[in-house]
Amino acid sequence: MALGWGVLGAGGIADRRMIPEGIMASDICRLVMVMDTAPERAEAVGQKYGVPYTTQLEEVLGNPAVDVVYVATPTFAHKDQAIAAAKAGKHVLVEKPLGLSLSEGRAILDACRHAGVKCASGYMMRYHGAHREIKRILADRELGEVVFGRAQLTCWYPPIPGAWRQEWRLGGGGALMDMGTHCLDLLEWLIGPIDRLTALVETVAFDYEVEDSATVLLHFSNGAQGIVDVSFNVPDEAAQNVLEIRGTKGAIYADHTIGQDAGGNVRLYAPGEVGGYDAAQVREGRDIGVQLDFPRTNMYRAQAEAFVQAIEGDFAPPVSGEVGFRALELTLRAYEAAREGRFLPI
C-alpha cells in the first residue's frame, strides 16, 4: 500500500522535482496534501497535482492520510516544522541543510527518536546511478588507494528580491550552505571520514550578504586530500559540476553528475598496477579512458522510495537524519575555519 505524503513548502524543489519525479512517479508513494504560507502558491500547486492545499501546518499534521511529511521550506523553518511533524506521529524527510545550527539539527533528531518516527535528509545525490557505480569501484579498490577527491558545483544566482538563500538569518549561508553541503557529503560518503578542513568563503561578484564563492580544503582520515569548490556566480551554461577521484591505480573524472539530473558523463582511467617512474611521461596516443555506463536513476524517486521502504521495513533510512546532521557539522565547521583562517579538526 502506498504511503501518504504531505508536502510543506510547495514551491521550489518540491514542485520542480520531488513531487512530480519522486512522489507522483512512485507506486509506493501517494501525494495527499500540500502546504505553503503563500496562498496563491499553495493553490497553484495543489490544483496542479489535484490534491487539497492549505496555508496551515496543522491541517497537514492533522490529516490521518498523511504518513510522511516532506519539509521543503526555507532552512529557518525546518526545526519547528520537523519537530511538529514528529510529535504528530509523522515520518519526516527534511531537505538539506537539516537546520541553521547543530542544536537545531539535534533537536529534530531527538524529536523523531522520542516520537518513534523515521527521519531522513535530502542528500539525494547519493542515489545518482553514477555515484553509486563510483562507490562500488572504490569499494572494490579498482583505483587502489584513494589519494584525492574533488566535488564542484556552480550556478548563476544573482541578487533576487526576497530570495531567502541570500540572507544569513533565513538560509544560514550562501553557496557553501546551499550547494557545498551536498559536495561535502558526497566526498565523505565516497572516500571516508573527513578529519580536518579549512576554507575560503567570500562574496566576490554580488552584493548580497551571504557568500557567492567558497573553496574547502579537506583531509580525510585515510590520508587522502580533497577540495570542494562552489559558486553562485558562474553562468549555468559554463557549469561542469565536476567530480574527480584519483588513486594509486587510476582515476575517475565525471561531469554533470553533481546536480539535480540523472545523467552526466563518467570516464574511468585504470591502468592497474604500474611500473617504475617514466621521466618522459608521454600520454599522447595512450588515452586509456573508458566511458562508464550507469543506470539513469531518478534521484528523487529513489529517495522517496528508499524512505518508504525503511518505514515499512522498520530499518534506518539509507540517507538518514544523522547523515544530514553530519553534513551540517562539516558545513558549519568550514565556515568556522574560514573565519579563523586555519585548519580545524572535525
Side-chain angles (χ1 to χ4, degrees):
M1 181 178 178
L3 293 189
W5 288 65
V7 173
L8 310 183
I13 196 67
D15 181 34
R16 188 171 65 252
R17 295 285 189 173
M18 188 60 174
I19 294 176
E21 298 178 16
I23 300 172
M24 301 292 287
S26 173
D27 293 333
I28 61 174
C29 301
R30 179 170 54 90
L31 184 63
V32 172
M33 177 177 283
V34 298
M35 184 279 279
D36 200 285
T37 56
E40 65 283 359
R41 187 158 55 234
E43 179 180 6
V45 175
Q47 291 183 349
K48 179 178 180 179
Y49 298 107
V51 297
Y53 53 89
T54 181
T55 60
Q56 303 301 312
L57 172 65
E58 294 75 19
E59 290 190 33
V60 177
L61 302 186
N63 189 327
V66 173
D67 305 296
V68 181
V69 167
Y70 172 52
V71 181
T73 48
T75 309
F76 73 89
H78 287 184
K79 183 192 71 146
D80 289 346
Q81 292 177 343
I83 290 175
K87 289 181 177 179
K90 313 297 185 183
H91 303 283
V92 185
L93 171 55
V94 186
E95 261 303 340
K96 59 80 201 167
L98 192 61
L100 292 173
S101 65
L102 291 183
S103 62
E104 288 194 1
R106 180 53 61 192
I108 292 172
L109 299 185
D110 288 346
C112 290
R113 184 177 65 255
H114 292 154
V117 299
K118 306 291 185 188
C119 181
S121 53
Y123 289 89
M124 82 292 173
M125 292 185 203
R126 290 193 181 200
Y127 295 104
H128 194 290
H131 300 158
R132 298 180 81 83
E133 177 63 9
I134 293 169
K135 177 77 168 175
R136 182 200 64 76
I137 289 170
L138 296 179
D140 290 346
R141 296 189 59 80
E142 292 183 30
L143 298 188
E145 180 182 352
V146 174
V147 298
F148 179 82
R150 178 193 178 203
Q152 173 257 322
L153 183 57
T154 66
C155 76
W156 182 251
Y157 195 48
I160 302 171
W164 59 268
R165 287 183 179 86
Q166 296 174 2
E167 294 188 44
W168 280 103
R169 67 182 182 88
L170 301 181
L176 178 58
M177 192 69 148
D178 185 52
M179 301 190 302
T181 184
H182 271 301
C183 296
L184 289 166
D185 173 71
L186 190 59
L187 285 185
E188 189 168 63
W189 178 63
L190 290 171
I191 297 174
I194 296 166
D195 60 17
R196 65 181 186 269
L197 54 73
T198 192
L200 295 171
V201 175
E202 299 179 358
T203 308
V204 177
F206 298 127
D207 60 0
Y208 43 64
E209 60 188 50
V210 300
E211 81 283 354
D212 61 18
S213 301
T215 302
V216 188
L217 187 61
L218 307 169
H219 187 273
F220 297 84
S221 61
N222 62 5
Q225 300 173 4
I227 294 173
V228 162
D229 50 307
V230 291
S231 306
F232 274 170
N233 50 29
V234 174
D236 294 330
E237 294 79 4
Q240 293 299 305
N241 299 341
V242 170
L243 174 64
E244 302 176 8
I245 307 291
R246 305 176 202 159
T248 54
K249 291 184 179 180
I252 288 174
Y253 299 94
D255 61 78
H256 298 102
T257 64
I258 297 179
Q260 298 178 15
D261 293 317
N265 303 287
V266 183
R267 289 186 68 82
L268 170 66
Y269 295 79
E273 300 294 344
V274 294
Y277 171 63
D278 179 3
Q281 296 182 351
V282 176
R283 289 179 292 274
E284 186 175 356
R286 294 170 55 186
D287 186 353
I288 63 168
V290 176
Q291 192 80 16
L292 284 186
D293 292 327
F294 56 88
R296 263 52 178 179
T297 304
N298 186 285
M299 294 175 282
Y300 297 93
R301 179 172 178 176
Q303 175 178 247
E305 292 186 339
F307 193 32
V308 168
Q309 290 161 0
I311 294 167
E312 293 184 331
D314 194 22
F315 55 82
V319 186
S320 65
E322 292 290 350
V323 167
F325 185 85
R326 173 62 175 178
L328 181 61
E329 179 183 32
L330 291 170
T331 305
L332 294 178
R333 196 65 163 162
Y335 280 114
E336 185 178 357
R339 290 192 296 270
E340 296 191 14
R342 64 187 181 95
F343 268 94
L344 293 179
I346 303 299

